């Protein structure tokens, strides 16, 4: 990568990997290069590659498999973690003021890391969907606006 991206090098790499994974899925390929190979091909540090992979993990595109490395995520639900966590409000019939599930329950429900769940929770709070009450957890502050998905 010849020059720094104003958007963040790891985000540019994440988008590149996302499109490569989508092309590979059409061809039937089910593997990702090792972190070391990705470092060489993109000319960046391991930390930059890991940040890019974490972005894709939070979006449900890749998953970490102990002893194997990273691979495209399997399963039927291809929505991002943010979409799935936002949909919890409707799926669980939550109203404004109701308690939102705990981090631990969300991690278990979606098979995601606590870091990824916390990142999405912070996004949801920033978007005004949730609020945190000290000592009581998170509650629904507003209902999400319905969106159409392709």
């Amino acid at each position: 990568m010849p020059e720094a991206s104003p958007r963040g090098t790891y985000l540019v790499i994440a988008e590149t990997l996302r499109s490569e994974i989508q092309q590979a899925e059409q061809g039937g390929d089910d593997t990702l290069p090792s972190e070391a190979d990705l470092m060489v091909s993109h000319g960046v540090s391991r930390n930059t590659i890991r940040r890019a992979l974490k972005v894709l993990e939070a979006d449900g595109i890749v998953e970490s498999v102990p002893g194997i490395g990273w691979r495209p995520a399997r399963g039927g639900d291809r929505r991002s973690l943010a979409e799935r966590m936002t949909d919890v409000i409707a799926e669980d019939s939550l109203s404004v003021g109701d308690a939102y599930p705990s981090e631990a329950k969300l991690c278990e429900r979606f098979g995601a890391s606590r870091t990824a769940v916390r990142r999405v929770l912070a996004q949801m709070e920033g978007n005004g969907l949730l609020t945190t009450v000290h000592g009581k957890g998170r509650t629904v502050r507003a209902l999400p606006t319905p969106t159409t998905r392709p």
Side-chain angles (χ1 to χ4, degrees), residues 33-143:
S34 68
E35 288 181 5
D37 289 342
L38 291 171
M39 288 167 47
V40 170
S41 65
H42 292 281
V44 296
S45 70
R46 184 175 302 272
N47 189 46
T48 302
I49 293 299
R50 285 186 176 166
R51 286 181 74 185
L53 290 168
K54 287 293 184 185
V55 167
L56 295 176
E57 180 183 36
D59 288 346
I61 304 295
V62 298
E63 60 188 1
S64 176
V65 181
I68 295 175
W70 294 90
R71 71 174 181 204
R74 296 181 182 183
D77 197 349
R78 301 297 289 182
R79 296 175 297 161
S80 72
L81 182 59
E83 289 174 315
R84 292 183 289 161
M85 285 177 57
T86 300
D87 289 347
V88 164
I89 296 171
E91 290 168 3
D92 293 1
S93 302
L94 299 176
S95 301
V96 173
D98 288 349
Y100 192 77
S102 68
E103 288 178 6
K105 289 188 184 200
L106 293 167
C107 291
E108 183 180 325
R109 181 172 180 167
F110 297 115
S113 70
R114 191 169 290 256
T115 302
V117 166
R118 282 183 178 162
R119 186 178 301 131
V120 174
L121 287 170
Q123 255 183 337
M124 291 174 74
E125 285 183 20
N127 292 338
L129 293 176
L130 301 177
T131 187
T132 301
V133 179
H134 186 69
K136 299 203 179 206
R138 289 179 180 84
T139 58
V140 178
R141 182 175 177 193
L143 299 177

